Amino acid sequence: MLETDARDRMIVAIDCGRERALELADALSGHATWLKVGMTLFYAEGPAIVDEFRKRGFKVFLDLKLHDIPHQVRGAAEAAARTGADLLTIHGLGAGAMMAAAREGVEAAAVDGGRAKVIAVTVLTSMDEEALAQIGLTCSAAEEADRLAALAQANGIDGVVCSPQEAAHMRELLGEDALVVTPGVRPVGAALGDQSRVATPSEAIARGASHIVVGRPVTGANDPVAAFDAIVAELVENL
Ligand code: C5P
């Protein structure tokens, strides 16, 4: 893999407060292409944080996992896309009409024909079969994920978020153009933290991930830029 491709396919999750977030953004500028803003940072700082990252030249993955009635999700997706974010998340469990509404929302916010992409969370990786049974779902997590991924695609959604373990299957199910974004990625030797079913960056991409999300192995390193560049080197060497 070319070095520029490797940089474009890594998304650094910035899960911290504003000051540290901007410090990391300044350090990673010119190295990383993508930063991810999650609910904690967005609810504290609002659209301004997306703007701060964009001003530094980053693409932004705004991971707010929208899930509400279609009318609300349409408006939320439009507003989220107007922040300038390039990629948004919704919950597949909101069903077809809600997912179609998210697509309409980002289309309404399109600039010069370019719109934000939307990907669906199928089954949260924190949910096991017992948790699914609690909410009345008696099928396996894998079956549920397949059903929601297909429904997402049928409603104009651009891809899915899934674990690296599911990436090959999702790629097969959704075809080569779909976005398949995998968190739960750990370079060899990195601390697992609270992640369990992990894969290395090159394993995740080899299995079909279009993008990998890496947080603490980069943001918690003594030298985040060196940690980021080491993952780029791993991808270039192995793929
Ligand atoms: O620090 P770490 O590399 O574990 O960060 C992974 C990022 O991906 C976090 O922002 C986390 O919220 C997100 N994520 C995840 N597992 C999922 C969905 C999202 O770890 N199933």
Side-chain angles (χ1 to χ4, degrees):
M1 176 181 286
L2 294 175
E3 194 188 305
T4 47
D5 287 340
R7 291 186 191 284
D8 288 351
R9 292 174 68 168
M10 266 177 75
I11 302 175
V12 183
I14 306 290
D15 297 318
C16 54
R18 175 188 154 86
E19 204 175 317
R20 176 70 181 145
L22 294 182
E23 219 174 82
L24 284 164
D26 284 335
L28 289 165
S29 167
H31 294 264
T33 304
W34 284 93
L35 299 182
K36 179 168 95 74
V37 176
M39 284 187 225
T40 306
L41 185 56
F42 190 77
Y43 289 152
E45 304 301 333
I49 196 73
V50 176
D51 207 43
E52 293 280 7
F53 289 171
R54 294 188 68 238
K55 276 198 300 218
R56 288 166 174 78
F58 293 101
K59 290 186 181 174
V60 177
F61 172 12
L62 187 51
D63 184 18
L64 301 180
K65 300 188 175 69
L66 305 179
H67 188 180
D68 206 321
I69 59 170
H71 177 72
Q72 182 75 262
V73 166
R74 187 191 186 286
E78 182 176 345
R82 287 201 197 283
T83 66
D86 301 275
L87 182 62
L88 309 175
T89 42
I90 58 170
H91 268 289
L93 280 170
M98 191 208 81
M99 292 198 268
R103 169 70 189 250
E104 279 172 31
V106 296
E107 276 175 2
V111 179
D112 298 332
R115 64 166 175 85
K117 297 279 172 66
V118 185
I119 54 178
V121 175
T122 56
V123 178
L124 287 170
T125 49
S126 55
M127 291 183 81
D128 55 16
E129 260 140 53
E130 192 190 326
L132 291 179
Q134 282 175 4
I135 58 165
L137 291 171
T138 49
C139 60
S140 71
E143 277 174 274
E144 183 63 13
D146 279 10
R147 182 185 2 257
L148 294 177
L151 188 64
Q153 191 171 52
N155 283 281
I157 298 307
D158 301 292
V160 292
V161 185
C162 67
S163 86
Q165 268 77 13
E166 296 156 2
H169 177 66
M170 284 295 161
R171 172 64 59 211
E172 202 179 285
L173 187 73
L174 300 176
E176 62 180 28
D177 294 335
L179 293 173
V180 174
V181 178
T182 65
V185 173
R186 289 290 177 271
V188 176
L192 294 187
D194 50 8
Q195 299 283 9
S196 49
R197 298 184 305 134
V198 300
T200 65
S202 35
E203 280 166 353
I205 300 253
R207 289 176 194 167
S210 57
H211 298 81
I212 55 175
V213 177
V214 190
R216 290 161 291 178
V218 170
T219 59
N222 288 335
D223 183 343
V225 174
F228 180 89
D229 284 342
I231 301 177
V232 171
E234 189 215 298
L235 294 175
V236 170
E237 194 182 309
N238 290 307
L239 299 170

